[in-house]
């Protein structure tokens, strides 16, 4: 390229916004883990980047073959994302199955993915343990479909929670292999969080992560009624209090502080931090009952408006359908441009 050409190319890329993509499976109700691990970042990123967010309904077939409630779940995920602050005018908000270009890219990437590495993936091993009667090929190649989701828009930033780190590493491997075999086509995607660390919200019993499919009573859902939120928080696991001042917090106590840090005021967090640090056996200042009461009220204040807005939107199915059709149009424009380049690179263009 001539020197001028290089400069123009450089200026153009610098001016273009970086591409962001993320997806959520419609396998149940969204919860605080989804919000703080993923959706909170989506909302912050929508002004700064060129964003694609989608509902991964193909992925949900790997674990949820019964599709009776799938459409309802897809629309609920869309409604809950908008209720959390996502603006469908600023981003492309679409449903995976409305973008068939992803399936074709998935096919090419499958030829670059090895059975051995797919079998070693943590999420695959977990799911084999959970559903030994249905170890289907879609489950095995789940990370390949996820890589296709990301690479179809040439996304570089992927806002996800900590549990997705390995899938992102695999997406980079597939992209690198593609580039190596067929020529430079894809930029490499990375997991993204505004803070340096990816987030993991644990269940209220301090065991495992909050999740759509497991631990219903230890997970706080964005659709939970106020009373249920209070009940779940008050049941969260605690103990008799620290035995020495400035103790290290056990995981389940740390988790309550983490949640408080996310939904309560800085003063409130500081008060309970100080109480914890100044407590000792025989002089226990921190009252976990009071802490949970405060957390429950702050949690209600946080979840209540999201729940109400999502419920209103779910009553307006026409609007939700309009939003996902518009999202699919934007997504297909970007996806078909990438696929044209990919077909050429692989040698699938017959003109
Ligand atoms: P789930 O695990 O509840 O089925 P998904 O797998 O669909 O949820 O995850 C959607 C997004 O939410 C992903 O980016 C994932 O990393 C994030 N996420 C899910 N659970 C948590 C959690 N407990 N803490 C932090 N992030 C989470
Ligand atoms: N595997 C992700 C999850 O379980 C969902 C997902 C599918 C995704 N495709 C994606 C996330 C692409 C980010 C990018 O949470």
């Amino acid at each position: 390229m001539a020197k001028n050409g290089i400069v123009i190319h450089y200026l153009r890329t610098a001016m273009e916004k970086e591409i962001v993509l993320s997806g959520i499976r419609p396998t149940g109700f969204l919860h605080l883990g989804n919000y703080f691990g993923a959706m909170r970042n989506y909302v912050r990123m929508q002004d700064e980047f060129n964003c694609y967010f989608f509902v991964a309904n193909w992925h949900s077939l790997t674990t949820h073959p019964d599709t009776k409630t799938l459409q309802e779940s897809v629309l609920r995920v869309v409604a809950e994302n908008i209720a959390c602050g996502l603006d469908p005018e600023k981003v492309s908000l679409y449903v995976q199955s409305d973008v068939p270009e992803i399936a074709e890219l998935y096919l090419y990437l499958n030829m670059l993915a090895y059975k051995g590495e797919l079998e070693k993936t943590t999420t695959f091993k977990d799911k084999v343990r959970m559903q030994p009667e249905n170890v289907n090929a879609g489950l095995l190649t789940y990370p390949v479909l996820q890589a296709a989701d990301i690479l179809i828009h040439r996304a570089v930033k992927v806002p996800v929670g900590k549990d997705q780190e390995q899938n992102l590493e695999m997406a980079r491997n597939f992209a690198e292999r593609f580039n190596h075999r067929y020529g430079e086509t894809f930029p490499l995607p990375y997991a993204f969080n505004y803070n340096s660390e990816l987030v993991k919200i644990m269940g209220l019993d301090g065991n495992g992560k909050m999740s759509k499919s497991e631990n219903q009573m230890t997970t706080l859902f964005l659709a939970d009624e106020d009373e249920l939120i209070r009940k779940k928080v008050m049941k969260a696991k605690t103990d008799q209090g620290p035995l020495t001042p400035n103790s290290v917090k056990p995981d389940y106590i740390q988790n309550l502080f983490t949640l408080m840090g996310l939904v309560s005021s800085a003063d409130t967090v500081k008060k309970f931090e100080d109480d914890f640090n100044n407590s000792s056996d025989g002089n226990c200042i921190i009252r976990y009952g009071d802490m949970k009461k405060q957390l429950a009220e702050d949690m209600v204040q946080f979840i209540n408006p999201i729940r109400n807005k999502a419920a209103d939107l779910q009553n307006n199915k026409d609007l939700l359908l309009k939003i996902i059709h518009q999202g699919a149009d934007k997504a297909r424009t970007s996806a078909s441009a990438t696929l044209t380049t990919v077909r050429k690179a692989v040698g699938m263009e017959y003109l």
Side-chain angles (χ1 to χ4, degrees):
M1 212 190 292
K3 204 169 167 198
N4 245 353
I6 295 175
V7 172
I8 290 168
H9 174 76
Y10 182 78
L11 283 177
R12 216 187 60 210
T13 345
M15 272 160 58
E16 275 169 12
K17 288 181 176 174
E18 275 186 304
I19 299 173
V20 168
L21 171 130
S22 194
I24 296 186
R25 291 177 305 148
T27 49
F29 287 77
L30 296 188
H31 51 81
L32 275 195
N34 298 134
Y35 181 84
F36 288 109
M39 287 143 73
R40 179 175 60 164
N41 285 317
Y42 300 180
V43 173
R44 279 184 68 180
M45 292 176 103
Q46 65 185 342
D47 292 313
E48 226 179 303
F49 301 102
N50 181 6
C51 295
Y52 296 88
F53 299 117
F54 73 99
V55 189
N57 58 345
W58 280 336
H59 274 109
S60 72
L61 293 177
T62 62
T63 49
H64 292 64
D66 183 353
T67 55
K68 269 200 293 297
T69 57
L70 186 57
Q71 296 222 347
E72 188 189 321
S73 298
V74 166
L75 293 183
R76 189 176 53 240
V77 172
V78 173
E80 288 183 323
N81 270 281
I82 298 170
C84 288
L86 215 59
D87 180 348
E89 293 301 321
K90 290 186 187 157
V91 305
S92 158
L93 181 56
Y94 63 97
V95 180
Q96 191 179 30
S97 60
D98 283 343
V99 184
E101 288 80 4
I102 300 166
E104 187 174 333
L105 180 57
Y106 169 54
L107 183 148
Y108 299 130
L109 295 178
N110 265 320
M111 314 303 170
L112 300 168
Y114 301 110
K115 178 171 165 276
E117 66 184 335
L118 295 171
E119 279 170 345
K120 271 193 270 172
T121 318
T122 323
T123 39
F124 176 69
K125 289 196 283 190
D126 286 349
K127 283 170 186 166
V128 170
R129 227 172 291 127
M130 267 147 46
Q131 53 178 66
E133 74 302 337
N134 183 18
V135 183
N136 58 75
L139 202 54
L140 183 68
T141 57
Y142 184 114
V144 188
L145 181 55
Q146 180 158 349
D149 292 329
I150 300 168
L151 301 177
I152 199 74
H153 299 301
R154 305 161 49 78
V156 289
K157 285 192 165 57
V158 185
V160 283
K162 191 158 177 53
D163 59 326
Q164 295 298 310
E165 240 170 355
Q166 193 178 29
N167 283 342
L168 261 293
E169 190 186 330
M170 296 183 78
R172 283 195 295 281
N173 288 340
F174 302 144
E176 269 181 331
R177 270 177 226 162
F178 188 103
N179 290 346
H180 186 70
R181 185 165 305 169
Y182 300 117
E184 205 59 34
T185 306
F186 297 116
L188 302 185
Y190 286 87
F192 178 86
N193 191 290
Y194 273 101
N195 306 319
S196 52
E197 299 257 309
L198 296 183
V199 174
K200 178 181 172 185
I201 306 290
M202 289 166 61
L204 290 168
D205 57 355
N207 276 327
K209 58 166 201 160
M210 282 197 187
S211 146
K212 289 199 216 93
S213 14
E214 301 145 55
N215 285 342
Q216 301 280 312
M217 273 314 281
T218 58
T219 294
L220 290 164
F221 294 97
L222 300 178
D224 280 347
E225 295 291 336
D226 295 353
E227 265 322 295
L228 185 57
I229 297 169
R230 292 191 180 100
K231 193 166 154 199
K232 287 182 180 178
V233 173
M234 292 315 289
K235 277 193 159 175
K237 178 174 171 177
T238 54
D239 52 30
Q240 78 285 9
L243 298 178
T244 53
N246 301 307
S247 295
V248 175
K249 299 186 186 92
D251 283 353
Y252 47 90
I253 298 295
Q254 178 55 52
N255 194 39
L256 292 182
F257 276 98
T258 303
L259 292 175
M260 199 168 230
L262 294 169
V263 298
S264 304
S265 72
D267 288 351
T268 304
V269 181
K270 186 175 181 319
K271 175 204 161 358
F272 288 103
E273 282 283 357
D274 290 347
D275 286 358
F276 180 91
N277 287 330
N278 293 323
S279 288
S280 61
D281 197 13
N283 182 28
C284 192
I285 300 168
I286 185 144
R287 299 262 171 260
Y288 287 136
D290 291 350
M291 181 178 175
K292 289 198 283 189
K293 247 189 224 149
Q294 180 70 48
L295 178 60
E297 286 321 308
D298 292 340
M299 202 53 89
V300 166
Q301 292 301 316
F302 179 79
I303 290 179
N304 177 301
I306 298 179
R307 182 187 68 225
N308 290 334
K309 176 142 196 237
D312 286 348
L313 281 162
Q314 281 175 89
N315 287 328
N316 193 346
K317 194 170 167 191
D318 286 348
L319 176 63
L320 291 178
L321 292 177
K322 197 175 143 227
I323 288 169
I324 58 174
H325 291 151
Q326 184 183 314
D329 283 347
K330 286 194 223 168
R332 289 198 72 182
T333 303
S334 147
S336 60
T338 305
L339 202 53
T340 302
T341 314
V342 166
R343 282 185 175 173
K344 268 193 203 128
V346 182
M348 296 292 146
E349 278 281 274
Y350 296 93
L351 295 174

